Amino acid sequence: MSYALECIAVFLAAYLVNIFYITVFYHRGLAHRSVRLKPRVRKFVIWTGNWVTAIDPKAWVCMHRMHHQLADTLLDPHSPVQSGLWKLMLVQLRSYERTLVCLMKGRAPYVAAVRDLDFPVNWLNRKGLWFLPYTLHAVIGLVIGTASGAWLLAPAYWLGIMSHPVQAWMVNALGHRFGYVNFENGDNSKNNTWVALLVMGEGYQNNHHHQPQSPKFSVKWWELDLGYFLCLVAEAAGLIEIKGRLRLTTQG
Ligand SMILES: [Zn+2]
Ligand SMILES: [Zn+2]
């Protein structure tokens, strides 16, 4: 394999691991419970999630549920309608930090949003060690680069595994700004085909806001929710159980 292809393969593999955690475990599993994580898998995700993705599972779920409740209003933790497209990168980071702090301080609306989650904010964040996952993955990248003698594999790995802020920006900004709608949800959610392809179905924000409890975000025959495919793989591997198998129907 050529050097460039090796870098792309390593980036994609690391990107896939991150997105698997976020879309299958955090989003469809912990946040909406449209897939049920097997008890041992759930424990493993709670234990490893922050290390793998650099994102706290409890804070992610809290912020995401608030986004659903308050989509595109002034109180939405991340809406391009309120902040504009580019500033949203900073807004989503600040909202995440505020969510962590408010959860740790026991602020009522934040705690209430995740009352069903029987685990605390990860100790990395409680101890102010949020940067350790970034460091760990830099070390792993350097080991891969050193062992293979292909140094560019190090940044390829690191950028892939630590890609959540960029994935999130694509979904939160573009998925609430550009695209078509299947449903009138009363918010600015759109179905963005490119984002859906790049972020495993998460770009179908309009479908998802219409029926958040559906494990499948695609509705029309030509819409492709690769995240649902990941769920099917995870179910076949005995990691999760897909609940309901709801099929969305379009209006009209
Ligand atoms: Zn949304
Ligand atoms: Zn959601």
Side-chain angles (χ1 to χ4, degrees):
M1 209 190 301
S2 79
Y3 197 0
L5 279 179
E6 277 176 33
C7 289
I8 292 169
V10 166
F11 172 84
L12 287 179
Y15 185 87
L16 193 64
V17 170
N18 179 293
I19 221 160
F20 194 94
Y21 262 79
I22 299 290
T23 194
V24 178
F25 293 149
Y26 282 24
H27 192 189
R28 303 179 209 224
L30 296 176
H32 296 300
R33 289 186 283 178
S34 59
V35 304
R36 193 179 78 83
L37 276 52
K38 296 282 174 72
R40 260 183 281 181
V41 174
R42 189 174 184 274
K43 266 190 198 148
F44 184 77
V45 169
I46 293 163
W47 183 54
T48 60
N50 205 135
W51 282 105
V52 173
T53 65
I55 303 291
D56 186 281
K58 192 162 192 170
W60 193 95
V61 170
C62 183
M63 184 164 133
H64 184 68
R65 286 179 177 171
M66 287 180 155
H67 166 63
H68 274 276
Q69 289 163 11
L70 304 161
D72 294 312
T73 68
L74 274 171
L75 295 173
D76 186 343
H78 45 72
S79 170
V81 177
Q82 305 300 339
S83 67
L85 277 183
W86 298 110
K87 202 176 159 205
L88 191 74
M89 185 65 96
L90 195 60
V91 167
Q92 65 184 16
L93 173 63
R94 288 204 178 131
S95 289
Y96 172 70
E97 288 169 350
R98 187 177 61 248
T99 306
L100 273 175
V101 170
C102 287
L103 281 174
M104 288 188 283
K105 287 187 173 172
R107 295 276 155 80
Y110 293 84
V111 172
V114 283
R115 206 176 287 290
D116 58 309
L117 298 186
D118 55 351
F119 56 90
V121 164
N122 192 277
W123 68 271
L124 285 168
N125 298 310
R126 295 202 306 272
K127 304 281 182 201
L129 300 171
W130 58 269
F131 55 87
L132 280 186
Y134 293 92
T135 314
L136 169 74
H137 290 295
V139 172
I140 293 174
L142 285 173
V143 169
I144 294 170
T146 310
S148 63
W151 289 101
L152 283 177
L153 294 185
Y157 168 79
W158 194 86
L159 290 171
I161 198 79
M162 297 285 89
S163 56
H164 184 62
V166 178
Q167 295 167 20
W169 178 81
M170 287 195 277
V171 174
N172 298 336
L174 306 178
H176 276 256
R177 181 70 185 274
F178 302 113
Y180 62 92
V181 299
N182 288 327
F183 303 100
E184 291 303 328
N185 295 330
D187 54 32
N188 211 50
S189 59
K190 307 279 189 245
N191 292 321
N192 187 302
T193 306
W194 282 107
V195 177
L197 285 173
L198 291 170
V199 198
M200 302 275 162
E202 296 280 341
Y204 294 125
Q205 284 289 297
N206 181 258
N207 295 345
H208 177 56
H209 276 263
H210 181 70
Q211 200 163 350
Q213 68 273 32
S214 170
K216 189 162 171 252
F217 297 171
S218 57
V219 180
K220 310 250 172 141
W221 66 267
W222 46 267
E223 291 173 344
L224 181 61
D225 176 7
L226 291 169
Y228 186 68
F229 174 72
L230 293 182
C231 290
L232 293 173
V233 172
E235 189 177 49
L239 303 177
I240 66 166
E241 183 190 328
I242 299 173
K243 287 164 71 180
R245 295 188 192 275
L246 298 169
R247 290 196 73 83
L248 290 170
T249 49
T250 46
Q251 289 169 339

